[in-house]
Every structure is written in structure tokens, then in C-alpha cells.
């Protein structure tokens, strides 16, 4: 399996090279030259453990890694850092199944891919005989940062720099990041939002003179954001796994279609569901849920992607994004794999902040259903689910639940639906306590952990216990135009 750029002007490379490079030289994103089909039955798949399913799916895409290599990485990635028996969990509430993807070390679904990425990258470096030190540049809306730090801290031959929007993450998210230990880590708050952080990182990547200069100093840049194909592919696994569990539990019969609802920001997680569908997972609708930054909702409805709107700070901060990078990969497929069409749209977005796709491309959006939830609705959904089912969901998952309910009501469709549950409610305690009318007056976010636990009987996840007493290691704040300087300073170049 070879990889090519969505903009069609870079040469074909192997999966390990694509993982190292992160972003293609023509500015596009790497995609597999074709999407492989699954060639086992769901009953076979349902006999597999999560790790076995991961080895099977990854083996279809990452063909320059041996089966043994992939199994080794998977074994190390999904070990006891994950606190559920099967790495993920599936919980029924209402007529939907919440696919809990947050039982990893940083309590968000980003762990599913970022626990594995360091092993893939290290293996890829070895395979390609690269001896340079790898510098991972990451922009985060709150969850990727900590998950990437967790994966790369202390990993020999790598350095990792994380930029987060100083005012745009939850208190728990921020504290998780700025207390990160490890000589090879740097965490920097920027005066700006996530889009500014992501643009800054992309600008550094696209500056070929700068990259050359770093290479001469022995550094190679790569990315832990979901623009890296090594992030995307591990995310396909859990959709297959969830489907196989539903078959095994006789909720659905083999071949029956399901809907998948995903709280969406950078369009990575839902794109993984799209790939799963293309591989042969029986999917009816992909339900794309946005918060008030509802640019994707408008896009799915009208085919117009329009950045001329204000950026909103919401109770689901990890989805506060206006530039959904992975949408570029979808554009590639719905344009009939036309790299120059994708490039033209991306250029228009950069120049005019807006583009409209063609009529034919719009047809490709039919398998998606878009919706959004504002903060008030989101918080009331947390209350609703807890009131009816004694089940607690976080703010991001609540956005997806809201949009799923809107979808079911608008269409009357009663297809079994899997909702990607992307974060632990303990990461967003203030909002969750607020929505459940748990008294939070005068309590800080850490005291609220206990309050939420005492009020609901849920245990505080061990990885964030004692977070408030950890040393703050990173206190650097910079302007969005200073990001390159900060990297230089860290690398001493
Ligand atoms: C990153 C994130 C999302 C959005 O996922 P994308 O792949 O960026 O669309 C949703 N919920 C949580 C909790 C996240 O951390």
C-alpha cells in the first residue's frame, strides 16, 4: 500500500515515510492509494480482542511494517494504561450505544491513536534508516496535547512541542499539560485560539527553507495532529470493534447497518468512520455533530465552507475549531480523487476564506447528516441522560447525543446508533457539575472532581488524582507570531 497527497503533486511513498513526514510537500495530506476492503466476516471479527482487531486493520494499511512489528506496538500501546478490560467500552443508554473511547491515560479518545503513534514513528525511523532527532510539533484544542506528551515524553530520539490556546482549554486539560515532565517536552500557551495554533504549526511545516535549516542541525519535523495518517488509521479499529460487539451481543445481525454519531472538530474521528464504511463496515448515516462553531453543519447542508464567522468559546472546547483539516481528505474522495480540484478549493479557502464544492461533489455528502448543539442544549442533554439512565457523559459526547436525537426526530430513522464518547466527564467537571446541579460554589476544578465523584458514585479516574499538587513545569506563553522563535529556542538553533 502506497500513500499519495490529496493535492496530487507529491510522489507515492510508503506508509512509514508518510507517518514520518506528517504532511505532504505540496501542502496536502497523505492518503492511502486505495482503501482496502475487509476480507473476514464480522463473526470472525467478533471473536477477536481489541488488540487482534487492531493488528488486522492496521495490517491492511501499514504494509511496510511486519505483522510482528505491528503486534508488538499494539501490545505496548494498549496495555494496562487503559483501565477497561477491552480497551474501549460500549454502554447502552436510550436507544444508542455509547462507545467509550476515553479509558486511556489522558481520559480522551486521542489516546486511542496517540498511544500507538510513538511506536509507529520510532519503527518508521528505523525502517527508513533515519538517524536525525524527530521533533513533533503539535497544536491542541486541549486533548491531543496531553495524549501526545504522554506518548512521547522520555522517548529517546524525539522532542515534542505542544501549543495550546491559553484561554481555550479546561482547567483540568491545562493542568495535565503544564505539569508534564520529561526533558524532551515543551508546552506553550499561545495568545490565540486553536485555529491560530494549528495555522502556526502548519506554517512552520510548510516553510521548506526552515525545514532544511533544521535538517542540517539534525532535526526532522513531524506532526502528532490528525493530519498525520498514523493518527487516523488506529481510529478505524474501534468502529469495527464496536460493530463486532453488537453482532456478538445479538443487538444487530451480521451485515445490518448502523449509524455512527461523532462529536466533530478537526474531522479526524468521523473521517475514520468514513474510511471504515469504505472498507466495508455496514453504515447507514455518519452523523456529524458540531457545537456552535457549526461550520461543518453549514457545509454538509449547503456545500459551502465559509470561514467568515466569529470563533466561539464553548463548553466543548476540544471542538472549538473553524478549520477542520481532515475535511481535505473527504474532499479528495467526493471529488472522484481529483487532486487538482482539492488544491483549487484549498487555495480558495486560503485566499478568500470560503469555497463552494461542485454539484457532483455535493452528492458525496449524502452519507453524512450534520447538526449542532449550543451550550444550553449540550448541558441539558447531560442532565437528560443522567436523569433517565443514570449515565454521565461529558460535554463533547453530549453534543453528539443531542445531534443524534435531532436526527432521529427529523428522520424517524430507528437504526441502531453508535455514539463516539470522546472524553471522560471528569475532564470537564465544571460544566458537568453545572448541568447536574451539583453545588460548585467556591470550589476549584480539582475540588470539583471529588464533588462530582461523591454526588454520582463514579470514581475519580486514577490518572488525574492528585493533579493539583503536581509541579507546574511549563509556564511559557507566547504570541501566535512567535511560535517559530519558541521552537528555535527549545532546539537551541
Ligand atoms: C479532539 C476531540 C474531538 C474532535 O475530534 P476530531 O477528530 O478533531 O473531529 C471531540 N471530542 C473530544 C473530547 C476531543 O478531544
Amino acid at each position: 500500500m502506497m500513500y499519495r497527497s490529496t493535492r496530487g503533486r507529491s510522489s507515492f511513498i510508503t506508509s512509514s515515510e508518510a507517518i514520518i513526514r506528517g504532511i505532504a510537500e505540496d501542502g496536502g495530506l497523505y492518503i492511502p492509494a486505495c482503501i482496502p476492503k475487509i476480507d473476514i466476516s464480522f463473526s470472525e471479527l467478533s471473536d477477536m480482542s481489541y488488540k487482534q482487531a487492531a493488528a488486522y486493520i492496521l495490517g491492511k494499511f501499514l504494509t511496510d511494517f511486519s505483522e510482528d512489528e505491528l503486534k508488538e506496538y499494539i501490545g505496548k500501546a494498549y496495555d494496562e494504561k487503559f483501565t477497561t478490560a477491552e480497551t474501549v467500552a460500549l454502554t447502552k443508554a436510550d436507544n444508542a450505544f455509547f462507545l467509550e473511547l476515553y479509558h486511556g491515560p489522558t481520559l480522551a479518545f486521542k489516546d486511542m491513536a496517540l498511544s500507538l503513534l510513538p511506536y509507529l514513528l520510532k519503527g518508521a525511523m528505523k525502517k527508513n534508516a533515519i538517524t536525525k532527532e524527530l521533533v513533533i510539533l503539535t497544536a491542541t484544542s486541549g486533548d491531543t496535547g496531553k495524549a501526545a506528551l504522554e506518548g512521547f515524553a522520555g522517548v529517546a530520539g524525539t522532542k515534542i512541542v505542544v501549543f495550546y490556546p491559553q484561554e481555550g482549554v479546561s482547567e483540568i486539560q491545562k493542568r495535565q499539560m503544564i505539569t508534564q515532565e520529561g526533558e524532551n517536552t515543551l508546552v506553550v500557551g499561545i495568545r490565540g485560539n486553536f485555529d491560530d495554533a494549528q495555522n502556526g504549526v502548519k506554517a512552520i511545516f510548510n516553510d521548506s527553507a526552515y525545514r532544511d535549516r533544521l535538517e542540517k542541525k539534525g532535526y526532522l519535523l513531524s506532526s502528532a495532529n490528525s493530519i498525520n495518517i498514523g493518527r487516523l488509521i488506529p481510529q478505524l479499529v474501534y468502529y469495527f470493534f464496536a460493530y463486532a460487539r453488537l453482532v456478538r451481543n445479538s443487538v444487530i445481525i451480521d451485515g445490518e447497518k448502523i449509524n455512527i454519531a461523532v462529536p466533530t472538530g478537526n474531522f479526524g474521528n468521523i473521517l475514520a468512520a468514513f474510511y471504515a464504511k469504505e472498507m466495508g463496515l455496514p453504515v447507514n448515516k455518519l452523523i456529524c455533530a458540531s457545537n456552535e462553531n457549526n461550520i461543518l453543519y453549514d457545509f454538509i447542508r449547503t456545500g459551502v465552507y465559509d470561514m467568515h464567522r466569529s470563533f466561539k468559546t464553548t463548553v466543548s472546547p476540544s471542538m472549538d475549531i473553524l478549520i477542520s483539516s481532515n475535511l481535505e481528505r473527504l474532499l479528495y474522495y467526493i471529488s472522484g480523487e481529483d487532486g487538482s480540484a482539492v488544491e483549487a478549493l484549498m487555495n480558495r479557502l486560503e485566499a478568500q476564506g470560503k469555497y463552494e464544492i461542485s454539484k457532483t461533489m455535493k452528492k458525496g455528502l449524502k452519507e453524512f447528516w450534520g447538526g449542532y448543539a449550543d451550550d444550553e442544549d449540550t448541558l441539558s442533554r447531560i442532565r437528560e441522560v443522567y436523569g433517565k439512565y443514570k449515565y454521565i457523559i461529558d460535554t463533547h459526547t453530549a453534543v453528539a447525543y443531542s445531534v443524534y436525537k435531532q436526527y432521529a426526530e427529523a428522520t424517524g430513522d430507528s437504526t441502531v446508533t453508535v455514539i463516539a464518547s470522546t472524553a471522560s466527564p471528569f475532564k470537564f467537571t465544571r460544566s458537568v457539575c453545572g448541568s447536574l446541579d451539583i453545588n460548585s460554589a467556591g470550589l476549584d476544578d480539582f475540588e470539583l472532581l471529588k464533588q462530582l465523584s461523591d454526588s454520582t458514585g463514579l470514581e475519580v479516574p486514577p490518572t488525574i488524582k492528585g493533579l493539583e499538587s503536581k509541579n507546574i513545569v511549563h509556564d511559557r506563553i507566547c504570541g501566535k507570531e512567535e511560535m517559530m522563535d519558541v521552537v528555535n529556542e527549545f532546539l537551541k538553533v
Side-chain angles (χ1 to χ4, degrees):
M1 175 74 73
M2 298 298 280
Y3 286 75
R4 65 162 83 163
S5 164
T6 46
R7 301 191 191 176
R9 287 198 290 107
S10 292
S11 44
F12 284 72
I13 58 174
T14 61
S15 64
S16 62
E17 288 172 308
I19 289 169
I20 294 169
R21 290 200 201 171
I23 197 163
E25 279 156 349
D26 61 4
L29 307 187
Y30 283 114
I31 40 166
C34 68
I35 300 180
K37 297 282 177 205
I38 48 163
D39 48 12
I40 56 173
S41 69
F42 288 108
S43 69
E44 277 172 275
L45 197 65
S46 69
D47 287 333
M48 291 184 180
S49 67
Y50 192 86
K51 288 180 204 174
Q52 287 167 331
Y56 172 71
I57 301 288
L58 262 56
K60 293 265 165 225
F61 287 94
L62 307 179
T63 50
D64 57 332
F65 292 87
S66 71
E67 196 180 328
D68 284 344
E69 283 170 329
L70 290 178
K71 282 190 173 150
E72 182 199 327
Y73 306 157
I74 289 165
K76 286 177 176 161
Y78 303 129
D79 63 2
E80 59 284 350
K81 292 192 293 295
F82 286 78
T83 55
T84 39
E86 292 194 308
T87 314
V88 297
L90 205 54
T91 302
K92 184 170 195 280
D94 201 343
N95 223 355
F97 290 80
F98 288 84
L99 175 57
E100 297 170 6
L101 303 170
Y102 56 75
H103 296 290
T106 77
L107 309 180
F109 89 95
K110 304 293 199 293
D111 287 326
M112 299 307 299
L114 282 164
S115 299
L116 193 61
L117 189 65
Y119 298 108
L120 289 173
L121 261 173
K122 287 287 279 183
M125 298 282 280
K126 204 167 150 202
K127 217 171 268 306
N128 292 280
I130 292 171
T131 49
K132 292 196 176 65
E133 189 158 10
L134 204 59
V135 181
I136 314 288
L137 292 189
T138 303
T140 184
S141 57
D143 290 325
T144 293
K146 179 61 185 179
L149 288 163
E150 191 72 25
F152 286 99
V155 175
T158 72
K159 285 193 178 357
I160 171 157
V161 184
V162 169
F163 293 101
Y164 69 94
Q166 187 203 353
E167 308 278 342
V169 299
S170 83
E171 197 51 43
I172 303 282
Q173 288 178 311
K174 181 189 262 181
R175 195 66 74 95
Q176 280 183 309
M177 290 189 278
I178 63 178
T179 57
Q180 179 66 50
E181 292 177 8
E183 288 277 308
N184 67 334
T185 67
L186 178 69
V187 178
V188 185
I190 67 153
R191 292 182 215 103
N193 59 36
F194 170 74
D195 288 324
D196 296 322
Q198 179 160 261
N199 283 341
V201 165
K202 275 190 190 162
I204 295 176
F205 268 109
N206 290 333
D207 186 336
S208 54
Y210 181 66
R211 291 179 74 141
D212 287 347
R213 202 178 109 210
L214 285 190
E215 286 196 26
K216 289 209 181 78
K217 305 267 181 188
Y219 293 119
L220 192 63
L221 290 182
S222 191
S223 166
N225 282 104
S226 55
I227 52 174
N228 193 318
I229 194 75
R231 268 283 299 277
L232 197 69
I233 292 167
Q235 294 181 178
L236 274 65
V237 178
Y238 43 76
Y239 294 117
F240 282 100
F241 187 76
Y243 187 90
R245 282 292 170 275
L246 291 175
V247 171
R248 192 162 92 180
N249 298 337
S250 306
V251 175
I252 53 173
I253 55 167
D254 192 338
E256 186 176 337
K257 286 187 174 175
I258 59 166
N259 296 325
I260 299 178
V262 185
T264 297
N266 223 352
F267 208 75
N269 205 6
I270 194 162
L271 186 77
F274 170 83
Y275 268 91
K277 181 178 185 199
E278 295 295 307
M279 284 185 82
L281 189 72
V283 175
N284 175 42
K285 281 282 175 199
L286 295 164
I287 301 171
C288 178
S290 303
N291 63 24
E292 277 185 89
N293 295 294
N294 56 5
I295 194 163
L296 287 168
Y297 161 74
D298 288 336
F299 175 70
I300 290 170
R301 217 163 27 101
T302 63
V304 178
Y305 197 88
D306 187 356
M307 298 269 302
H308 299 104
R309 61 181 75 210
S310 59
F311 181 95
K312 303 217 169 82
T313 306
T314 73
V315 294
S316 47
S318 305
M319 293 156 64
D320 290 345
I321 295 174
L322 291 180
I323 307 174
S324 296
S325 301
N326 275 293
L327 193 61
E328 177 166 349
R329 289 190 166 110
L330 181 70
L331 295 178
Y332 178 80
Y333 293 106
I334 64 176
S335 68
E337 314 201 354
D338 181 349
S340 49
V342 174
E343 179 161 52
L345 292 172
M346 290 298 114
N347 287 343
R348 208 162 305 151
L349 185 64
E350 197 163 315
Q352 293 158 21
K354 180 176 170 175
Y355 64 77
E356 176 164 11
I357 59 172
S358 69
K359 266 211 180 86
T360 340
M361 286 179 78
K362 281 179 195 168
K363 289 201 187 103
L365 295 179
K366 282 219 174 71
E367 51 200 301
F368 290 86
W369 198 88
Y372 73 98
D374 62 19
D375 279 358
E376 196 188 320
D377 184 22
T378 303
L379 296 175
S380 80
R381 298 295 182 174
I382 297 175
R383 188 159 53 240
E384 177 186 333
V385 171
Y386 186 65
K388 285 190 188 154
Y389 312 101
K390 286 283 163 282
Y391 180 59
I392 305 189
I393 55 177
D394 93 294
T395 47
H396 303 77
T397 308
V399 169
Y401 177 73
S402 168
V403 174
Y404 151 71
K405 292 295 272 187
Q406 295 171 38
Y407 166 80
E409 197 161 300
T411 60
D413 179 16
S414 59
T415 301
V416 171
T417 299
V418 167
I419 298 176
S421 181
T422 50
S424 160
F426 284 97
K427 262 191 132 159
F428 304 95
T429 35
R430 188 155 302 276
S431 301
V432 172
C433 286
S435 80
L436 297 181
D437 292 327
I438 294 170
N439 184 12
S440 57
L443 299 178
D444 69 25
D445 285 62
F446 303 100
E447 291 162 333
L448 275 183
L449 291 172
K450 189 165 177 307
Q451 187 80 338
L452 181 61
S453 169
D454 289 348
S455 309
T456 61
L458 267 188
E459 272 201 56
V460 178
T463 48
I464 48 170
K465 259 191 202 154
L467 189 59
E468 69 278 17
S469 51
K470 278 200 177 154
N471 281 338
I472 291 175
V473 184
H474 306 273
D475 57 4
R476 185 74 198 264
I477 305 292
C478 78
K480 57 192 181 196
E481 59 299 317
E482 294 173 290
M483 289 167 62
M484 195 184 271
D485 298 336
V486 169
V487 174
N488 286 340
E489 208 177 289
F490 181 56
L491 299 180
K492 302 190 179 76
V493 297

